[in-house]
Amino acid sequence: MEIEHLWPILFISLHAMVPITLAAIGEIIEESAGLFNIGLEGMILISALAGALGAEYFGSAIGGLLVGAGSGAVLGVIFGLLNTYGRGDQLITGVGINLLALGFVAFMLINLGAAGFHSVPRDVQIKLIPLGVGSLSPLVLVTILLAIIVYWVLNRTQLGIRIKAVGENPAAADVAGIRVNAMRLGAAIVAGALVGLAGAYLSVDWFGSVTKEISAGRGFIALAVVVFSGLNPLLALFGGFIFGFFDGFATWVSTYPKIKDIIPWQFVAMVPYIVTLLVVAGVIGRVRFPKALGIPYLRE
Amino acid sequence: MRIFRIKVAAILIALVALVGGPFIGTAVAAGKIALVTDVGGRGDLSFNDMGFKGADEAAAEFGLELVSIQSTSANDYLPNLQMAAKSGDFDIIIGVGFLLADAMAEVADQHPDQKFAIIDVTWLGKPNLMEVGYEENKGSALVGALGAMVAAHYGYDKIGAVLGIEIPVLYKFEAGYRFGMHWGNAKYAAVTGKKADVGLLYKYTGTFDDIAQGKIATEAMLAQGAGLIYNVAGPLGIGDLEAITEHLEAKGKTAGPPFMIGVDANQDWMGDGERVLASMMKRVDFGVYQAVEAVVNGTFEGGVQVLGPNNGGIKMSGEAELADFITFGINGGKITESDRGRITDNWLAMRSAVPSWIWDAVDELSAKIGSGEVEVPCVWCADSIDQIRADWPDNVD
Amino acid sequence: MGSKYRFRSLNKYLNPINESLLAGAIGLAIGAIIMVGLGYSPLDAYSSLLRGSFGSVYSWAESLANATPLILTALTFAIAMRGGLFNIGAEGQLYIGAIAAVSVSLIQISAPFHLIIALVAAMTAGALWSLPVAILKLTRGVHEVISTIMLNWIARFFAFYMIANVLMDPVRGEKTISIAETSRFARILPGSSLNYGIVVSALAVLLILFLLWRTTAGFELRAAGHSQESSNYAGISYKKQVLRAFLLGGVLAGLAGAVQVMGRPPTYALISGLPQMIDLGFDGIAVAMIGRNHPVGIIFAAIFFGGLMVGGRMMQMSAGVPLELVRIVEGAIILALAVPELKRIFYVVRKKFARKEQRGGN
């Protein structure tokens, strides 16, 4: 393997990091507030579609990203309402969103045309930044920035303390005058917008198309990254990157003819998962979650 | 207590609804065909979409009603076929894909009066079942030869193939592609007098869904100097093409090389007509259409039909189909009517930039394969993929 | 709120059933609105859904056949959940169980023992695949969500490798060797997919019921799930409890894989890409949650879920509703199931209607 191949692998890793990390940061906000959403996969899927359509409708990539984020926020409203004032079961809601999205996106794609995928015209896709050694999506920078901002908000501001209070001890937060359900709903909406941005990135930037299974398990990887991070957005950035790196690296390396003779591709494909597991077991270890995570708040 | 009574009533109503189910009937329409697709379902840009296209066209042509039954998992194949057969509503039930083989064998035996057809299966042998197989290895040999010659012409020393999950159907594609590459190398040397040493990079990605794997594999192959990428993984082609487009963009170009080679359908219209050099067309739509036509004409009989280069079932894309598939793309929402002229012009320019002797050579190979003068290795016939890989090596250090 | 008192009455048992039925109705109503909006007839659609899922002996058989593996994977999730753990590893463990069951067909053993050995192998394999989850949790504090998701993917690629390179059928390379005749579950209803594998699922339910509510181990597990602190205080070993939940879960998930490949006709082999296995584990999570993590609830939920899949077929066939829309309806039903407060909204609406009626009567 030649040294100049390191650059493209680095860019692949960064590009693969974006959707996982954005969704993970969203989930971190939500979980900090006590909501556990396993519907990330479905939300990414729907926003990918919405983002593609939005980009076309407004004739701009930014428009597409905003529509994607907006559709994610709408799903966040639904999830938030059902699980705060509706006192719903968060796990079931998440599973429901995943199932609904799978049907909805496939159904819409068929109704949009016969081909089963929908493509975003070149001129309304995100323009990559040419860096000489390769091209980088501006969303990579946005993701890094968002991770830092969310970290700062959660750990250094009054708002962050309130969000965490709601997740940690909602009854006490309530007594202290924080409106628990409103706070959780707000967290769910912001989280939804971030997850939606992750979906729109897939269609408007990374692939330039939507297919019915475009998310391909990234929502679940993001869930794992959230656990990996222990609700720290900066660690989620790192987690998304190492997963993206090993995923890209594994695929990359297994196109080399000689590698195939040594290791079957199935074992190469396992690498990102094994590495993630090893990193968590070896470095990260035990993480602590908010006490009231997953529990609807009922005022006594 | 009142609430309790209402609850009991609700449960009773629900129970009655369940038991009463069988007595709710529906009207039976005459002239229906059923298309049972595999788990990929519609929108796979591959044989399910092509199968649907054929059934849709046949239904329109012969005034039949098309019922498409998609399977959620492999567990659905038997009950899907069974339920369609039990209903007795259908003039023919068509299964798309070799995964349905075992279920089809069982259901066809149980319903001897029902007519069936199955795509990609050739080994069941039932009187009421038409089996349609394809010679993908031969079509892949054509694009492999084209790929090697074009790569050599443009100064590349490798061609690539991005494949899906490692299954024998895909071995047929790989085997033919390998063989074709070696044939193309020899031909290039013979015609130009220059040595051609194009090698093969290939990758089984283990998925038919995750576009990222197609994109990453293609980026890796392009970085290693591949001049063409053969998409043998349905939707992953979107990722392949995106990688090629970005690769060109970074050089300030829009037209290939590097090119993609499409699969199953004619995908030449993708990439604005200037980045997909050719497609290995597997006309699943022909097979499905023929089966329906045979039923309508009363000529249906069981047995195996092999579609290949000789009867147009397998073919490298040409100008003749381009217009048809641009329409397919317009229906798919990817392009609009206003793009038609530009795409056609781009495509013609792309093709004429490649020396005409190369196209003649591909035609020659096609004719020789058709006449049996050239024999393409075939995985399910006799050879194992390991043997084929040894006989027709990667040719890469 | 009166809900505290209601729990003491007979309603304790009726309440969840009611909730589920009502949620089902609301979900169907949402689905109907979507269908009307898109120009399909919800009446046709739902009558064919019912006919397809529970309208005949055959359709009952198909619904039960779908329920068979789901019961087992749902139990995997439910046991962990009862112990306060979030085990989503059934998906991977069932692949490994199925691989083990097929491997046993490499050797020849006489009739009853072959089947039993295959089941034992699958249970062992499932438990072994689950073991790292427990060990990593206990020794390194690795959360089970992360380890199970990762192990699911690893299991998938491992299974791909085994199918393509070790267990492959010499003639038909797209699948593994077939399960030996001596190691298959016979069909219960000819022509259908229902087989005696369902007995395994039924026995598993009984066993888990007994285990959870009639043994000390079960009590300890439930106590730990209820409150970690108080169970520690009561001297219940956390280690034991984690190991039990994951190993037992692995055994059940392994069984699910085995039952599916040994019983579900017509292939009796694993196909490359695992199309007959994928999502059984994740669907099991949905089933467990609909069934409120109770073994008996899981039986009904699994039959309901399995029935939806079968009915979806009939919706496609006789009402022309595409499968994608069937999935939307399923999603709506599950969303409705998630929210107990929907019931309250329903009662409020009903009360208003009742008042209107009274006024109209006057």
Side-chain angles (χ1 to χ4, degrees), chain B residues 33 54-55 58-59 62 64 92 94 287-297:
Chain B
I33 48 179
F62 304 116
L64 305 168
I92 184 166
I94 304 163
V288 171
Y289 189 94
Q290 279 178 13
V292 178
E293 193 179 32
V295 171
V296 173
N297 294 341

Side-chain angles (χ1 to χ4, degrees), chain B residues 2-4 6-8 10-11 14 17-19 21-27 32 34 39 41-42 65 67-87 89-90 98-99 101-104 106 110 123-124 165-169 171 205-207 209 380, chain C residues 6 10-11 14-15 17-18 21 44 47-48 50-56 58-60 62 66 156-157 160 164-165 171-175 187 190-193 260 264-268 271-278 280 309-310 313-314 316-318 320-321 323-324 327 343 347 350 354:
Chain B
R2 210 175 89 82
I3 291 171
F4 175 70
I6 289 167
K7 285 175 182 170
V8 171
I11 293 167
L18 288 183
V19 178
F23 303 108
I24 308 166
T26 47
K32 282 166 95 172
V39 282
R42 285 175 55 197
E65 189 191 333
V67 175
S68 144
I69 306 170
Q70 189 182 324
S71 306
T72 34
S73 85
N75 301 315
D76 285 351
Y77 300 146
L78 180 65
N80 278 350
L81 292 168
Q82 187 74 267
M83 221 172 219
K86 270 180 194 278
S87 75
D89 290 349
F90 298 103
F98 69 95
L99 288 177
D102 292 328
M104 185 60 93
E106 179 175 331
Q110 284 168 6
W123 58 85
L124 297 176
I165 297 173
E166 196 166 0
I167 47 176
V169 174
Y171 286 156
T205 56
T207 172
D209 306 320
W380 272 352
Chain C
R6 257 193 245 155
L10 184 74
N11 278 322
L14 273 177
N15 236 354
I17 299 173
N18 254 314
L21 280 177
D44 274 3
S47 71
S48 48
L50 266 179
R51 245 175 340 122
S53 48
F54 303 109
S56 66
Y58 172 74
S59 44
W60 266 102
E62 287 300 325
N66 283 343
R156 181 187 163 107
F157 289 114
F160 281 7
N165 298 291
V171 189
R172 298 258 314 275
E174 85 278 11
K175 57 178 189 176
R187 285 194 212 195
S192 79
S193 310
Q260 191 69 355
R264 182 100 189 191
T267 303
Y268 301 107
I271 307 169
S272 2
L274 293 167
Q276 79 263 62
M277 294 287 161
I278 278 176
L280 286 178
M309 297 199 246
V310 184
R313 175 173 306 132
M314 200 55 137
Q316 296 187 67
M317 247 174 67
S318 56
V321 179
L323 180 71
E324 290 78 15
R327 285 214 180 115
K343 189 180 63 175
Y347 283 134
R350 208 195 45 171

Side-chain angles (χ1 to χ4, degrees), chain C residues 2 20 38 50 95 126 189 201 207 244 247 256 262 310 317 350:
Chain C
S20 299
L38 293 166
L50 266 179
Y95 303 161
L189 183 71
S201 299
L207 189 79
R244 268 181 200 148
L247 290 184
M262 291 160 63
V310 184
M317 247 174 67
R350 208 195 45 171

Side-chain angles (χ1 to χ4, degrees), chain C residues 287-322:
Chain C
V287 167
M289 289 186 296
I290 295 171
R292 303 283 193 255
N293 294 319
H294 190 287
V296 177
I298 283 173
I299 293 184
F300 287 106
I303 295 173
F304 168 74
F305 210 85
L308 267 183
M309 297 199 246
V310 184
R313 175 173 306 132
M314 200 55 137
M315 267 171 91
Q316 296 187 67
M317 247 174 67
S318 56
V321 179

Side-chain angles (χ1 to χ4, degrees), chain B residues 229-240:
Chain B
I229 305 294
Y230 186 20
N231 161 37
V232 197
L236 265 64
I238 294 169
D240 301 0

Side-chain angles (χ1 to χ4, degrees), chain C residues 148-159:
Chain C
T148 47
I149 289 179
M150 296 303 143
L151 281 165
N152 284 346
W153 282 98
I154 296 168
R156 181 187 163 107
F157 289 114
F158 179 70

Side-chain angles (χ1 to χ4, degrees), chain A residues 65-84:
Chain A
L65 292 180
L66 290 178
V67 170
S71 69
V74 170
L75 289 169
V77 171
I78 296 172
F79 181 83
L81 277 179
L82 289 177
N83 293 309
T84 52

